[in-house]
Amino acid sequence: MTSSTDVVLDTSVIVKGILPPLRRKRDDVYHRQLSLHLKAKELLKKAQNGELTLHEPVIALVETSTVLWRLSKSERIVDIGIRFLETYSVFYSDVYLLEDAMEIGRKTGASGFDVLFLACAKRRGAKLITDDRKMYEKALESGIEAELLRETPSSP
């Protein structure tokens, strides 16, 4: 039996894993977006297969539904994202994360949503995976193990 790896997926990764690139022009930008989509989608599949255990702040539901709606204008896509999170995530309340979130916020100046994801990774000893460079840098600054999606090698 293989063990599961504890991770916090930032909303940027969840959304990129659910939504393929929306760009119509098949240029370098599209191919970079497609590469990120495939990497993120592979992470979601690993969560579904039990290779990853997702630890998420409750606010991930709000942020994911909002971003998916803003990008897709599709209730079906929003429902897919929310169902994925509800099925494969262990959620942590803002109250549980409060002290760590405030400490990280004071130390790094990160945004309110970001500090909750960072605090969740810190409290659970989980790796944060994000495609937000600033969030990635704040994680490292806070002593949190982190991975930047765009800098990870593609899965075979």
Side-chain angles (χ1 to χ4, degrees):
M1 182 173 156
T2 56
S3 64
S4 180
T5 302
D6 292 325
V7 298
V8 172
L9 296 183
D10 174 37
T11 304
S12 63
V13 176
I14 296 163
V15 168
K16 284 178 177 146
I18 292 169
L19 276 182
L22 301 173
R23 188 177 179 89
R24 292 190 177 153
K25 187 176 180 182
R26 300 298 193 247
D27 57 4
D28 288 343
V29 172
Y30 170 82
H31 290 292
R32 279 194 304 274
Q33 291 174 347
L34 180 61
S35 173
L36 290 172
H37 166 67
L38 295 174
K39 288 179 183 183
K41 188 175 179 180
E42 181 65 25
L43 290 170
L44 300 185
K45 284 182 185 177
K46 286 181 177 186
Q48 290 172 315
N49 295 336
E51 296 174 58
L52 298 177
T53 298
L54 304 184
H55 300 276
E56 302 293 334
V58 170
I59 199 72
L61 293 164
V62 175
E63 192 174 32
T64 299
S65 65
T66 302
V67 174
L68 284 173
W69 175 255
R70 187 176 68 236
L71 295 174
S72 72
K73 300 294 189 268
S74 166
E75 288 291 341
R76 186 183 68 79
I77 297 294
V78 172
D79 288 345
I80 288 169
I82 295 309
R83 266 188 270 119
F84 174 84
L85 282 171
E86 290 175 340
T87 302
Y88 300 104
S89 301
V90 179
F91 289 105
Y92 300 90
S93 73
D94 296 354
V95 173
Y96 176 77
L97 301 172
L98 186 64
E99 291 299 321
D100 287 320
M102 290 190 309
E103 178 186 323
I104 291 168
R106 286 190 304 271
K107 180 178 178 182
T108 67
S111 76
F113 279 171
D114 287 0
V115 297
L116 288 167
F117 284 89
L118 293 165
C120 192
K122 180 179 177 183
R123 288 291 301 260
R124 298 308 308 156
K127 181 195 304 184
L128 173 75
I129 304 176
T130 182
D131 199 45
D132 178 333
R133 184 172 297 280
K134 286 183 182 178
M135 186 180 202
Y136 168 76
E137 290 168 356
K138 305 276 186 198
L140 296 180
E141 182 183 330
S142 299
I144 297 166
E145 182 183 4
E147 186 175 300
L148 189 61
L149 184 68
R150 67 186 77 179
E151 292 182 356
T152 60
S154 295
S155 297

